[in-house]
Amino acid sequence: MIDGFGRRIDYLRISVTDRCDLRCRYCMAEKMTFLPRSEVLSLEEIAIIADRFIARGVRKIRLTGGEPLVRRDIPDLVHRISRHLATGTLEELTLTTNGTRLAHHADDLAAAGVRRINVSIDSLNPETYAFITRGGKIDAVLAGIRVARAAGIRIKINMVALKGLNDHDYLPMLRWCADQGHDLTLIETMPLGEIDEDRSDRYLPLSHAVAQIETACRLIPIGYRSGGPARYYEPEGMEGLRLGLITPLSNNFCTGCNRMRLTCEGKIFMCLGHEDHVDLKTAYRTGGIAAVDESLDRALIAKPQAHSFAITADGTSGMTRRHMNVTGG
Ligand code: SAM
Ligand code: SF4
């Protein structure tokens, strides 16, 4: 699949649910109204749509949410999609999780062919973690990571930089990742959906994190590309650790964008930062697989060149109404 700007689209992110057992302050408001189940794609529908994407050239699928591991039929969905790993038509099936239920699911994920996952931890400090997530318990996440590692799954930690919340936690996180053999990606907070506070109060450009880390070790740029928006570095003295930086606000990354996003309510968003979408659920429910293919063609043509987020001292612009949990991170 080639879009209107010549970019090859071979990566699909699927948000399998908008629900979550945490309420991270930068992601959700404390009180959220979730979608009625009838509006959310069934397992069967997700699997069929994923099949069509794979038939059209998608090579990598990431399941996300909301929290993918709170969806009850997630093991079945993983096994359905993983059949394409066995045939070689799909190169990678992975997921992004908050890790709270990883201990329960890790062996099954590994058995289905999941080889690496992203786990979101914004601080290793139990109090800070509980505050940011509004009640999360870091010990459960760390236990889940241990089970996943024992099952042979590699871990990348996602950490969102948040002014006044975790802006002294970068070095402890980096050292812990080096010690445990995990990769680490730092992310700037993005203006996705209304939350309970003003985002410009929490936004910090990653240059701030880099400056802190470089008081302890030099960051050596490495040529590695994941096909995603991160730029990668190896911290001096931490051989093998890949530190990724995702800077949607301070450094736009759209020229190499290779992805589309399927929301849990069956919409394809061609860009995280735009409202334009194609409604695959209605297409499938009214016109079957042929209508899905036709919608995919429309989505490719409509993929915009770039997002338009900004967070400055004057406030936030380019904000979408959707929260990250609907679109999928
Ligand atoms: N619940 C899972 C988790 O937390 O990993 C998967 C979904 S979550 C929406 C995916 C990723 O998006 C997480 O790493 C989270 O930290 C990040 N995220 C959520 N809201 C964000 C925002 N407004 N700006 C930047 N990253 C955000
Ligand atoms: Fe839930 Fe993930 Fe959003 Fe946190 S970032 S509230 S874990 S969906």
Side-chain angles (χ1 to χ4, degrees):
M1 291 192 287
I2 306 287
D3 77 359
F5 298 95
R7 295 171 294 194
R8 179 179 299 280
I9 310 301
D10 57 7
Y11 179 16
L12 175 66
R13 291 188 169 218
I14 306 177
S15 174
V16 298
T17 177
D18 60 336
R19 290 163 198 257
C20 187
D21 52 350
L22 300 180
R23 292 286 182 279
C24 302
R25 290 169 184 273
Y26 54 88
C27 177
M28 294 193 186
E30 188 159 18
K31 293 200 173 24
M32 295 285 291
T33 309
F34 294 109
L35 293 165
R37 285 186 205 282
S38 59
E39 284 186 28
V40 173
L41 291 176
S42 68
L43 176 149
E44 190 63 21
E45 288 170 327
I46 297 177
I48 287 171
I49 291 172
D51 287 350
R52 290 318 301 156
F53 269 97
I54 293 166
R56 299 283 304 266
V58 159
R59 292 286 165 263
K60 177 173 170 183
I61 291 184
R62 176 177 298 278
L63 303 178
T64 177
E67 173 47 40
L69 298 182
V70 304
R71 187 165 164 153
R72 228 174 302 131
D73 55 10
I74 192 75
D76 299 337
L77 180 64
V78 169
H79 282 280
R80 267 291 293 264
I81 298 178
S82 74
R83 289 189 308 206
H84 295 284
L85 291 172
T87 63
T89 42
L90 186 67
E91 279 165 20
E92 184 172 44
L93 174 61
T94 181
L95 79 162
T96 302
T97 172
N98 63 25
T100 58
R101 298 178 188 210
L102 194 51
H104 178 70
H105 288 283
D107 287 334
D108 194 47
L109 291 171
V114 173
R115 295 285 165 259
R116 56 183 192 130
I117 57 176
N118 292 357
V119 181
S120 303
I121 305 180
D122 299 318
S123 175
L124 289 167
N125 178 304
E127 284 84 43
T128 311
Y129 181 82
F131 183 78
I132 294 174
T133 56
R134 296 193 179 98
K137 293 186 174 45
I138 187 74
D139 284 350
V141 179
L142 299 181
I145 289 177
R146 284 194 293 275
V147 177
R149 284 301 294 258
I153 297 177
R154 276 192 60 86
I155 307 287
K156 179 162 74 76
I157 302 296
N158 278 355
M159 175 180 185
V160 177
L162 300 161
K163 184 154 77 183
L165 290 180
N166 65 358
D167 45 4
H168 293 286
D169 294 342
Y170 310 122
L171 265 173
M173 182 68 89
L174 191 64
R175 289 191 173 118
W176 176 74
C177 286
D179 186 52
Q180 300 288 313
H182 308 324
D183 287 330
L184 172 64
T185 291
L186 302 178
I187 307 171
E188 288 175 352
T189 179
M190 290 176 265
L192 304 171
E194 292 285 346
I195 50 171
D196 295 330
E197 49 184 46
D198 182 345
R199 290 189 187 272
S200 39
D201 293 345
R202 291 283 175 232
Y203 171 67
L204 260 186
L206 286 188
S207 52
H208 177 263
V210 168
Q212 248 184 48
I213 291 170
E214 289 199 318
T215 60
C217 57
R218 210 159 57 87
L219 293 181
I220 303 153
I222 51 175
Y224 175 77
R225 298 296 304 173
S226 61
R231 289 168 293 133
Y232 290 91
Y233 299 82
E234 186 178 274
E236 199 169 27
M238 300 183 188
E239 282 74 28
L241 187 158
R242 277 199 293 247
L243 173 68
L245 303 181
I246 301 188
T247 54
L249 294 147
S250 60
N251 183 3
N252 185 300
F253 49 51
C254 304
T255 40
C257 183
N258 64 343
R259 62 193 56 191
M260 285 203 185
R261 295 164 192 273
L262 177 66
T263 71
C264 52
E265 52 183 341
K267 295 175 180 165
I268 306 184
F269 279 89
M270 288 70 80
C271 172
L272 193 54
H274 281 258
E275 301 288 355
D276 294 349
H277 63 270
V278 171
D279 183 356
L280 267 195
K281 182 178 67 188
T282 306
Y284 177 67
R285 288 183 183 175
T286 55
I289 287 175
V292 169
D293 276 337
E294 188 268 330
S295 302
L296 277 183
D297 291 335
R298 273 193 293 127
L300 274 175
I301 293 167
K303 186 168 164 66
Q305 192 166 18
H307 73 69
S308 51
F309 310 130
I311 299 181
T312 64
D314 300 330
T316 300
S317 66
M319 185 161 94
T320 64
R321 287 195 305 275
R322 282 167 289 128
H323 288 87
M324 190 72 142
N325 65 305
V326 174
T327 320

